């Protein structure tokens, strides 16, 4: 069992190594777009209306935001595909990609992408090892049987085993959060913060953020304030952790940390995903607590964010913005310090070794093939 857990961790790390460049590319491109938009006084450069602007630069900035979004949109298919690749070599790529796309469409989040990759990889490996055809038909297995059967089984399991429960949880959480908004504001803010920090763009996160934004139409601002604070705390906090505890992270995660801080500042929580995927049992609870602290603090101190904007370009439009920024800093520092303390001293060394083995062995084998 311990060996299987270790193997699965290595497969997940392989997926992360391929996903990180997409996160960095998407983060930087979107940051350029959103910072550029703020120069023109635009806080929603992603809105379709800016694609029709008479100003050529604004249209370009709008397009850049979309290009960055394309890169980020590939995160789940890529991590799923390359987890599957790590398990079953090239056989797992097609089922992993399709499974990852389905995860994206049903909002199953990064945990769903991990499960999709594991399902696709092990299904393809099982087909390869257990379905034997006559020698004259052996070529049918890798070019037809594995991609068709592997993809079919993967999408069925992802859609009906992973997707349905997540959808039910999503609807239930929306109703629950909507009811909380009329009660104790600080408790509600902490709950919203924890939900947003839980799955970083996944269904729980979206339930909280969507409901909070919907309540803006009723002039209820506390849930939105809590959500917008919580969106940016995990990526900033985990990015800072790679600065505070450099020796505990490999080079890839250090680079992801820089990107994560940028993504946090422009309001994109997905920057924290590589860290949550790598060590979910430690990172996710810390993310939830740090986000809850920051959100409850902001609402409790009277900060009010009346717009669905989490990036730094909207901070100074918030009522009592110094307290709002202080709350973000507090939650981020909590995550950075706790993550640094909880992370084992040799974590960076162990991960580097794993990646080196992958680069030198798997890629050489790939090119020779």
């Amino acid at each position: 069992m311990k060996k299987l857990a270790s193997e699965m961790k290595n497969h997940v790390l392989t997926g992360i190594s391929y996903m990180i460049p997409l996160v960095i590319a998407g983060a930087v491109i979107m940051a350029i777009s959103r910072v550029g938009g703020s120069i023109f006084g635009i806080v929603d450069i992603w809105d379709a209306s800016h694609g029709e602007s008479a100003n050529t630069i604004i249209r370009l900035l709008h397009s850049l935001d979309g290009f960055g979004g394309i890169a980020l949109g590939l995160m789940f298919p890529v991590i799923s595909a390359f987890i599957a690749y790590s398990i079953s070599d090239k056989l797992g790529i097609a089922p992993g990609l399709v499974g990852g796309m389905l995860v994206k469409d049903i909002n199953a989040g990064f945990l769903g992408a991990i499960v999709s990759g594991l399902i696709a990889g092990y299904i393809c490996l099982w087909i390869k090892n257990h379905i034997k055809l006559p020698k004259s038909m052996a070529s049918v297995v890798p070019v037809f049987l594995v991609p068709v059967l592997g993809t079919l089984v993967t999408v069925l399991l992802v859609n009906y085993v992973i997707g349905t429960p997540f959808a039910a949880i999503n609807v239930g959480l929306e109703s629950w959060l909507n009811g909380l908004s009329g009660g104790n504001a600080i408790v509600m803010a902490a709950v919203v913060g924890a939900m947003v920090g839980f799955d970083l763009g996944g269904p729980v996160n979206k339930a909280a953020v969507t409901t909070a934004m919907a309540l803006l139409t009723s002039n209820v601002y506390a849930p939105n304030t809590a959500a917008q604070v919580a969106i940016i705390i995990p990526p900033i906090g985990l990015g800072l952790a790679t600065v505070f505890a450099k020796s505990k992270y490999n080079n890839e995660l250090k680079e992801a940390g820089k990107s994560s801080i940028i993504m946090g500042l422009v309001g994109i929580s997905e920057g924290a995903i590589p860290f949550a995927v790598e060590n979910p049992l430690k990172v996710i609870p810390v993310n939830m607590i740090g986000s809850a602290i920051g959100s409850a603090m902001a609402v409790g101190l009277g900060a009010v964010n009346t717009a669905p904007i989490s990036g730094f370009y909207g901070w100074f439009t918030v009522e009592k913005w110094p307290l709002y920024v202080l709350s973000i800093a507090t939650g981020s520092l909590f995550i950075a310090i706790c993550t640094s303390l909880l992370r084992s001293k040799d974590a960076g060394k162990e991960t580097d070794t794993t990646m080196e083995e992958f680069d030198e062995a798997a890629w050489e084998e790939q090119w020779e093939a």
Side-chain angles (χ1 to χ4, degrees):
M1 190 68 182
K2 188 175 180 181
K3 182 182 178 182
L4 177 62
S6 178
E7 289 177 352
M8 290 174 68
K9 179 182 178 182
N10 288 340
H11 298 321
V12 171
L13 289 173
T14 298
I16 293 173
S17 72
Y18 281 99
M19 182 186 73
I20 285 175
L22 288 170
V23 175
I24 294 172
V28 173
I29 293 171
M30 292 181 85
I32 292 170
S33 167
R34 297 186 182 191
V35 171
S38 68
I39 294 173
F40 290 89
I42 298 172
V43 296
D44 59 348
I45 193 66
W46 57 84
D47 190 271
S49 62
H50 298 299
E52 306 297 326
S53 173
N55 189 316
T56 303
I57 296 177
I58 291 176
R59 292 201 306 272
L60 174 61
L61 291 171
H62 171 76
S63 296
L64 287 178
D65 191 78
F67 299 152
I70 290 173
L72 291 179
L74 288 171
M75 287 193 303
F76 293 161
V78 166
I79 191 172
S80 175
F82 284 98
I83 288 173
Y85 169 81
S86 179
I87 296 169
S88 57
D89 206 4
K90 291 179 285 187
L91 297 174
I93 291 180
L97 278 173
V98 178
M101 284 298 296
L102 181 57
V103 163
K104 179 175 176 288
D105 289 343
I106 63 177
N107 293 322
F110 69 86
L111 293 177
I114 292 175
V115 175
S116 168
L118 293 172
I119 290 172
Y122 284 114
I123 287 293
C124 291
L125 186 63
W126 187 90
I127 295 171
K128 175 186 175 182
N129 293 337
H130 292 85
I131 297 182
K132 305 295 182 182
L133 297 178
K135 193 172 182 180
S136 60
M137 299 179 64
S139 62
V140 173
V141 175
V143 300
F144 180 81
L145 192 60
V146 173
V148 173
L149 187 56
T151 301
L152 180 62
V153 174
T154 299
V155 295
L156 287 174
L157 289 175
V158 169
N159 194 60
Y160 295 106
V161 177
I162 297 173
T164 302
F166 267 93
I169 291 171
N170 196 20
V171 173
L173 286 174
E174 286 183 10
S175 300
W176 179 52
L177 181 58
N178 195 30
L180 273 179
S181 63
N184 188 304
I186 295 177
V187 173
M188 178 278 301
V191 171
V192 170
M195 290 172 66
V196 172
F198 172 67
D199 59 352
L200 307 170
V204 178
N205 173 295
K206 282 185 170 60
V209 174
T210 302
T211 303
M213 289 182 178
L215 291 172
L216 289 175
T217 60
S218 302
N219 297 320
V220 179
Y221 300 122
N224 180 68
T225 302
Q228 302 308 327
V229 166
I231 284 171
I232 62 180
I233 284 176
I236 293 175
L238 291 167
L240 289 175
T242 65
V243 177
F244 294 169
K246 289 183 179 179
S247 62
K248 296 183 178 182
Y249 292 89
N250 66 7
N251 290 331
E252 287 183 334
L253 286 177
K254 286 176 188 174
E255 290 302 313
K258 297 174 185 176
S259 173
S260 185
I261 293 173
I262 295 172
M263 292 180 81
L265 290 173
V266 298
I268 303 171
S269 61
E270 283 85 350
I273 286 179
F275 303 94
V277 170
E278 188 226 11
N279 200 342
L281 295 180
K282 291 182 180 179
V283 171
I284 291 176
V286 172
N287 279 351
M288 293 175 67
I289 296 170
S291 298
I293 290 171
S295 296
M297 185 174 170
V299 172
L301 292 175
V304 180
N305 187 349
T306 60
I309 301 167
S310 54
F312 74 92
Y313 41 84
W315 292 355
F316 305 119
T317 64
V318 175
E319 185 178 328
K320 297 186 179 179
W321 69 262
L323 297 175
Y324 185 84
V325 175
L326 176 63
S327 302
I328 293 169
T330 301
S332 299
L333 286 171
F334 175 87
I335 290 176
I337 293 169
C338 288
T339 303
S340 299
L341 293 175
L342 289 173
R343 195 168 176 85
S344 60
K345 293 181 179 180
D346 56 353
K349 188 179 296 184
E350 289 176 358
T351 305
D352 278 334
T353 300
T354 301
M355 296 301 174
E356 285 170 10
E357 290 175 355
F358 173 78
D359 288 338
E360 293 178 6
W363 272 109
E364 283 181 11
E365 182 180 347
Q366 171 77 2
W367 282 110
E368 286 173 4

